[in-house]
Amino acid sequence: MGYPQDTLSADEQLVLHRHPHFKTLILPFVALVLLTTGAVLAWQWSTRADISDTAATVVGIAAGALWLIGVLWLFAWPMLRWATTHFVITDRRVMFRHGIITRTGIDIPMARINTVQFRHGLIDRILRTGTLIIESASDDPLEFNDIPRVEHVHSLLYNEVFDTLGEEESGRR
């Protein structure tokens, strides 16, 4: 069993599991392309330039080291951050988990959710993403950015909250 299945209780049902929208990975991919292009150009220059073999080796090693550091910092780290960020809706709660070294998470029981809203601008509407805003009984509203298909998630979450409230009212009678 993988995440989030291993975090659910025995009779809890998974409704939705999302990572942030792919738009969060556009800049890391651009950085990868630019870093790789720069490293290749530096290496080609060092092999063709009228410089000593030692200088060419130093330029090659420096270009490779800068490329590696840049790829780890500007590409690999954001990819790991994206892969370890989870927005999960079950029939009982909303879960949000993120972090690589230090994990952070929040669970919001369905019965405590008062308001569910979404917000997205023109670019977000084109990309079918946006911000989901959940207001619970005791806390300030929580904003979850870059949720894919935010309108669908909003209506799905609203239906889950409505179903939970219906179950509580029928259980009280």
Side-chain angles (χ1 to χ4, degrees):
M1 240 192 311
Y3 188 87
Q5 296 291 80
D6 55 357
T7 62
L8 303 180
S9 58
D11 56 344
E12 190 173 14
Q13 298 295 315
L14 179 66
V15 176
L16 177 91
H17 176 212
R18 293 269 201 272
H19 292 282
H21 193 268
F22 74 88
K23 81 174 190 175
T24 60
L25 300 177
I26 292 172
L27 287 177
F29 275 106
V30 169
L32 176 66
V33 169
L34 292 176
L35 287 166
T36 303
T37 302
V40 167
L41 289 174
W43 176 75
Q44 283 183 341
W45 174 83
S46 72
T47 59
R48 293 183 182 170
D50 190 22
I51 57 176
S52 69
D53 288 344
T54 305
T57 302
V58 168
V59 168
I61 290 172
L66 289 174
W67 177 84
L68 181 62
I69 292 168
V71 166
L72 290 175
W73 182 40
L74 298 173
F75 179 74
W77 191 255
M79 288 291 292
L80 279 172
R81 198 169 45 235
W82 175 87
T84 58
T85 300
H86 303 273
F87 181 80
V88 178
I89 299 175
T90 72
D91 59 345
R92 293 185 184 175
R93 59 188 165 152
V94 174
M95 301 183 329
F96 183 74
R97 304 281 189 273
H98 65 96
I100 299 168
I101 296 170
T102 303
R103 296 283 294 159
T104 304
I106 185 168
D107 291 0
I108 308 168
M110 287 293 175
R112 293 193 149 270
I113 295 176
N114 292 336
T115 308
V116 181
Q117 303 173 32
F118 68 91
R119 177 179 62 237
H120 54 166
L122 179 62
I123 300 298
D124 284 343
R125 288 178 65 191
I126 291 169
L127 295 174
R128 298 176 66 192
T129 184
T131 300
L132 188 70
I133 304 160
I134 300 174
E135 187 176 333
S136 63
S138 61
D139 297 326
D140 291 333
L142 297 170
E143 294 190 6
F144 302 99
N145 297 313
D146 300 321
I147 301 294
R149 298 185 62 207
V150 71
E151 289 185 57
H152 170 74
V153 174
H154 170 266
S155 63
L156 191 117
L157 183 55
Y158 176 80
N159 288 334
E160 287 297 321
V161 170
F162 184 75
D163 290 347
T164 300
L165 292 176
E167 289 173 7
E168 281 187 354
E169 288 179 7
S170 64
R172 290 181 184 158
R173 291 182 184 169

